[in-house]
Amino acid sequence: MELDSIECVSTTDGGIEEDEIHHHHHHHNNTNNNLHHHPNHTHHQFSSSKPNNNNNNGNNGNGINGSVVGPTAITPATSVHELLECPVCTNSMYPPIHQCHNGHTLCSTCKTRVHNRCPTCRQELGDIRCLALEKVAESLELPCKHYSLGCPDIFPYYSKLKHEAMCTFRPYNCPYAGSDCSVVGDIPFLVDHLRDDHKVDMHTGCTFNHRYVKSNPREVENATWMLTVFHCFGQYFCLHFEAFQLGTTPVYMAFLRFMGDETEARNYCYSLEVGANGRKLIWEGTPRSIRDCHKKVRDSHDGLIIQRNMALFFSGGDRKELKLRVTGRIWKEQQNPDAGVCIPNLCS
């Protein structure tokens, strides 16, 4: 079902001017959203950067499609690294490492894929373990594969994978919810990607005032209506607003995600408010990190949820048209060293 556009009136902190922005809704299952990728997005390699001991949400300007240059002090020996590379999938091999009678090796995952035949000499593999290579791997210490993005740590070979899965310097997935976008990168790169490729609206300031308008709200199925990016406190936040079915009840939901890791997201709070006719709903919480996918946040109901009948009541009139005004603000929790409590630090 093709949905109508939504009018969004945004006010920045000054509250002097209002921008009218018209957005088209996107079905969650719609993978063809005319996404325009920059030519740089074809190859997902990360550009070089000097290692940085400060995480800073990965904000070191690294994007996609560049050569990887790491610190020479921790670059592994090429010959040993090649020995531990599976010839089929080219990934690093972990026990059990298999070999054929001629000594050619491959990983356990690829052994089943090649139907127990050596991909190099075509001899039958059998069940021979390459214990010597496994012992060599045990003695190695290697840099995290995200060292070009700033991770300075070195790990034993068999601990490396576990760290890389949770490394705070690992790239982020695109937070756009209207399509299955596969672009990854650091925060500055994704901000440019959202603006240039997804045409997401960018606003500066920690307060906002949005009006969502829908002419036939009773026709709405699961749809993502709006993504707006806010820049404040030197960070970026994604404001989502959408409609979906909560059980059998049609609802609207607004929530905020932080463009950075979860530990950093806990330093911020936000509030959302909607109301009319002497009634008001207020939500206050901590933004979720974009490490948590959009669907996970939505399905956990971690945000302001408004039933459709209540939303139409707030809209006034004959309740046939949605005119919902959502206001909110973002602030930073700042530790008070004397009292040992957190106090809000509002942006100016």
Side-chain angles (χ1 to χ4, degrees):
M1 178 183 66
E2 190 68 27
L3 301 175
D4 297 339
S5 63
I6 286 183
E7 177 191 40
C8 171
V9 179
S10 302
T11 60
T12 58
D13 294 338
I16 298 174
E17 297 182 356
E18 291 189 346
D19 301 320
E20 279 200 12
I21 310 160
H22 295 272
H23 295 265
H24 292 281
H25 307 90
H26 302 276
H27 290 288
H28 284 306
N29 296 326
N30 181 14
T31 58
N32 182 16
N33 71 330
N34 296 324
L35 176 64
H36 300 287
H37 287 280
H38 191 279
N40 282 356
H41 302 173
T42 305
H43 306 289
H44 290 186
Q45 298 175 335
F46 294 95
S47 62
S48 62
S49 174
K50 293 181 180 179
N52 187 350
N53 289 330
N54 297 322
N55 184 358
N56 197 24
N57 298 328
N59 292 359
N60 55 7
N62 292 316
I64 291 180
N65 191 23
S67 60
V68 176
V69 179
T72 56
I74 57 174
T75 301
T78 303
S79 58
V80 177
H81 184 72
E82 288 177 350
L83 283 174
L84 289 166
E85 185 179 275
C86 174
V88 179
C89 65
T90 70
N91 292 326
S92 297
M93 293 186 291
Y94 293 85
I97 299 175
H98 297 277
Q99 69 174 19
C100 72
H101 292 281
N102 293 323
H104 303 126
T105 57
L106 80 164
C107 70
S108 57
T109 302
C110 290
K111 183 187 176 187
T112 57
R113 294 171 57 191
V114 299
H115 306 292
N116 206 35
R117 290 282 177 182
C118 174
T120 304
C121 65
R122 307 306 300 167
Q123 295 295 314
E124 186 175 350
L125 286 169
D127 292 313
I128 306 174
R129 290 268 296 274
C130 187
L131 299 178
L133 193 56
E134 292 180 8
K135 287 292 185 182
V136 169
E138 279 184 16
S139 67
L140 292 179
E141 289 191 340
L142 300 175
C144 171
K145 71 178 182 179
H146 304 305
Y147 60 78
S148 65
L149 296 176
C151 182
D153 296 324
I154 303 174
F155 297 91
Y157 186 81
Y158 293 137
S159 303
K160 184 170 171 282
L161 277 183
K162 183 177 180 181
H163 161 78
E164 289 172 350
M166 300 302 294
C167 178
T168 56
F169 291 90
R170 71 191 188 277
Y172 297 87
N173 295 321
C174 173
Y176 191 77
S179 66
D180 294 328
C181 182
S182 60
V183 169
V184 298
D186 63 10
I187 299 304
F189 175 81
L190 287 181
V191 169
D192 292 341
H193 166 66
L194 288 171
R195 182 190 62 236
D196 299 337
D197 296 330
H198 293 297
K199 310 303 179 187
V200 169
D201 291 311
M202 304 284 171
H203 295 272
T204 300
C206 60
T207 61
F208 47 89
N209 185 344
H210 282 336
R211 186 177 64 187
Y212 299 98
V213 179
K214 182 70 178 69
S215 58
N216 295 305
R218 296 188 183 278
E219 295 178 359
V220 173
E221 297 173 354
N222 286 0
T224 295
W225 280 9
M226 180 74 67
L227 172 60
T228 307
V229 173
F230 293 92
H231 182 228
C232 59
F233 301 108
Q235 308 289 348
Y236 291 91
F237 301 82
C238 295
L239 175 65
H240 297 266
F241 183 83
E242 63 180 76
F244 65 100
Q245 294 285 131
L246 184 56
T248 59
T249 305
V251 298
Y252 304 103
M253 183 174 179
F255 57 91
L256 197 73
R257 286 200 292 167
F258 174 74
M259 295 188 71
D261 276 331
E262 181 181 355
T263 52
E264 186 73 10
R266 297 193 191 108
N267 295 327
Y268 301 91
C269 291
Y270 75 103
S271 64
L272 298 172
E273 182 178 312
V274 60
N277 301 321
R279 275 77 171 175
K280 183 185 297 184
L281 289 177
I282 299 176
W283 165 266
E284 187 172 301
T286 301
R288 297 280 286 272
S289 166
I290 60 172
R291 294 288 190 203
D292 290 335
C293 70
H294 165 269
K295 186 177 185 298
K296 180 179 179 179
V297 179
R298 188 200 68 189
D299 291 349
S300 67
H301 310 151
D302 193 0
L304 175 65
I305 297 178
I306 314 151
Q307 292 190 5
R308 184 169 64 187
N309 288 338
M310 179 66 74
L312 292 175
F313 174 76
F314 287 152
S315 299
D318 55 9
R319 300 192 182 188
K320 293 182 179 180
E321 183 179 39
L322 179 71
K323 293 181 180 179
L324 199 60
R325 183 176 296 278
V326 178
T327 61
R329 66 185 180 97
I330 305 166
W331 67 93
K332 185 174 184 178
E333 294 288 335
Q334 193 172 54
Q335 191 73 27
N336 185 338
D338 297 327
V341 297
C342 288
I343 57 174
N345 178 17
L346 303 180
C347 60
S348 56

